[in-house]
Amino acid sequence: MGEAWIRTLGNGLVRADRVTEISSTRGSLYEDQGYSLKVIVDGKGHVLIDDGGLQGSMPERLEYARHMEDALLLAIDEARESDASMVISYEPERERWSAAPVSVLTGRLPEVV
């Protein structure tokens, strides 16, 4: 089984197996509207989504954020089942999580033994 990594908003990577918490807030980092989603690793928060454009009431936005948390958990589970190491990224234009093998993202093919 490969490792699962999660891409942060700042294009950093955190190991999925080190995530201790997934949380979301009712507004984006800079706006009262929308929501943001982050993971906690070693006591430090890493923002994955910051969406100031999501409209709706606070309960609707929080429900959507919970949906994105659940989708992230599913993406992590699927990535962990892969034989290759995978990077999970949020695609804002499609509003979904995607996973790609590290070898595809780095352009390096795995060694054959």
Side-chain angles (χ1 to χ4, degrees):
M1 290 181 115
E3 295 179 336
W5 297 82
I6 305 169
R7 185 175 305 280
T8 67
L9 190 61
N11 283 323
L13 294 173
V14 295
R15 287 179 53 153
D17 63 348
R18 309 247 344 236
V19 171
T20 56
E21 182 181 345
I22 299 173
S23 66
S24 50
T25 61
R26 60 188 166 149
S28 76
L29 297 175
Y30 307 104
E31 303 285 334
D32 288 336
Q33 292 295 311
Y35 74 102
S36 65
L37 187 140
K38 67 180 176 180
V39 293
I40 308 297
V41 176
D42 295 330
K44 182 178 178 193
H46 300 272
V47 177
L48 307 180
I49 301 173
D50 183 38
D51 183 352
L54 183 64
Q55 300 298 312
S57 68
M58 184 172 34
E60 290 170 331
R61 288 183 283 135
L62 288 176
E63 180 61 29
Y64 185 80
R66 279 191 289 276
H67 167 74
M68 295 309 297
E69 290 175 19
D70 293 343
L72 175 59
L73 288 172
L74 287 172
I76 291 171
D77 286 345
E78 289 175 4
R80 285 182 178 155
E81 292 175 6
S82 173
D83 290 334
S85 292
M86 304 289 281
V87 175
I88 301 162
S89 302
Y90 179 67
E91 297 179 27
E93 63 283 348
R94 296 172 71 188
E95 295 184 358
R96 71 179 195 109
W97 298 100
S98 65
V102 170
S103 60
V104 170
L105 297 174
T106 61
R108 293 156 85 190
L109 297 174
E111 293 182 25
V112 177
V113 248

